Amino acid sequence: MPYTPDLDRLLTPGARFTDEHGAYLVEPHPVGDVVLPTGRVVGCDPLVCPEAEPYTVEVTPGRYRARAWVAAVLREDAEVDRRVAALELVISDEPTTRWEPAVVGDQDVAALGADDYFGYGVDAGAGTLADPTALAALESWDEERIEDVFIPAELPSSPVPGLITAVLDEATGANVVTVSTGWGDGCYGTWIGRAADGRLTSFVTDFMVIPE
């Protein structure tokens, strides 16, 4: 079976995980709305690969709430670090009953080996779930403008590491919400939640902070 994280457990306020390094206490934080004028969703590191392909599953164009699931890293019950464990784009408040990998293009889940997964590469420590409209606008920005907005000398104060929100397409309001990706650079998969009747509930990128 391809790798699938235990998202039902991860996306539980107050969930606590432990490994040999300590404990991880998970808390959800709203990070504002994501505007999807096309209804297509791209998971990517927008600072490195804004031209990434959208997932094959689309939603009704509109505004959707986003949540960051932050793990407070505890040593002897004292918080020593904070890491974003997952980024969630909420499509519906229906309970999620099953998860499936989000894929792009002609990716075939059946071709995955045991413990494999499809993911996007992160090279600037930032992740997003955004509309292609916003990311296309970002492609036209020069490096200085990108750094000013997304890599400021001083990050805004927030319980969510790396949280930056910027409207990139004024005509549609399409925006990009970035968070820090777990422990940093890597390859991170996104999963799609569905309700019992098959309707979409959310897109969730797992940043692989929580121990198995």
Side-chain angles (χ1 to χ4, degrees):
M1 282 288 288
Y3 169 76
T4 301
D6 187 354
L7 294 174
D8 294 329
R9 189 166 168 228
L10 170 57
L11 307 180
T12 300
R16 189 182 175 101
F17 301 80
T18 56
D19 64 11
E20 67 272 20
H21 303 297
Y24 306 80
L25 187 64
V26 178
E27 53 194 40
H29 291 277
V31 291
D33 290 348
V34 174
V35 177
L36 303 177
T38 69
R40 292 178 294 165
V41 179
V42 179
C44 69
D45 178 338
L47 309 187
V48 174
C49 198
E51 71 280 5
E53 281 187 81
Y55 297 120
T56 54
V57 171
E58 299 182 20
V59 301
T60 304
R63 302 176 72 93
Y64 295 93
R65 289 179 294 122
R67 275 194 289 249
W69 292 83
V70 177
V73 185
L74 309 175
R75 303 287 183 272
E76 296 175 352
D77 284 335
E79 184 176 317
V80 296
D81 200 358
R82 297 177 75 75
R83 297 283 168 166
V84 180
L87 178 63
E88 179 183 20
L89 185 60
V90 181
I91 308 302
S92 157
D93 287 323
E94 290 283 313
T96 301
T97 60
R98 62 186 170 91
W99 297 96
E100 64 192 49
V103 298
V104 304
D106 59 0
Q107 288 177 336
D108 181 4
V109 175
L112 290 172
D115 299 329
D116 291 341
Y117 63 96
F118 293 119
Y120 65 80
V122 169
D123 205 30
T128 194
L129 291 166
D131 192 279
T133 307
L135 295 166
L138 185 58
E139 282 189 76
S140 69
W141 286 21
D142 61 32
E143 202 167 312
E144 187 176 346
R145 190 176 178 195
I146 289 172
E147 286 193 6
D148 285 348
V149 174
F150 289 102
I151 317 171
E154 198 168 318
L155 277 168
S157 176
S158 169
V160 179
L163 176 60
I164 300 279
T165 302
V167 174
L168 274 75
D169 184 66
E170 294 292 345
T172 62
N175 62 339
V176 166
V177 176
T178 66
V179 296
S180 294
T181 52
W183 302 111
D185 297 344
C187 181
Y188 301 108
T190 300
W191 281 263
I192 291 168
R194 290 192 184 272
D197 61 5
R199 282 185 297 173
L200 285 177
T201 56
S202 66
F203 290 75
V204 178
T205 305
D206 171 32
F207 295 128
M208 306 182 85
V209 170
I210 298 305
E212 288 290 302

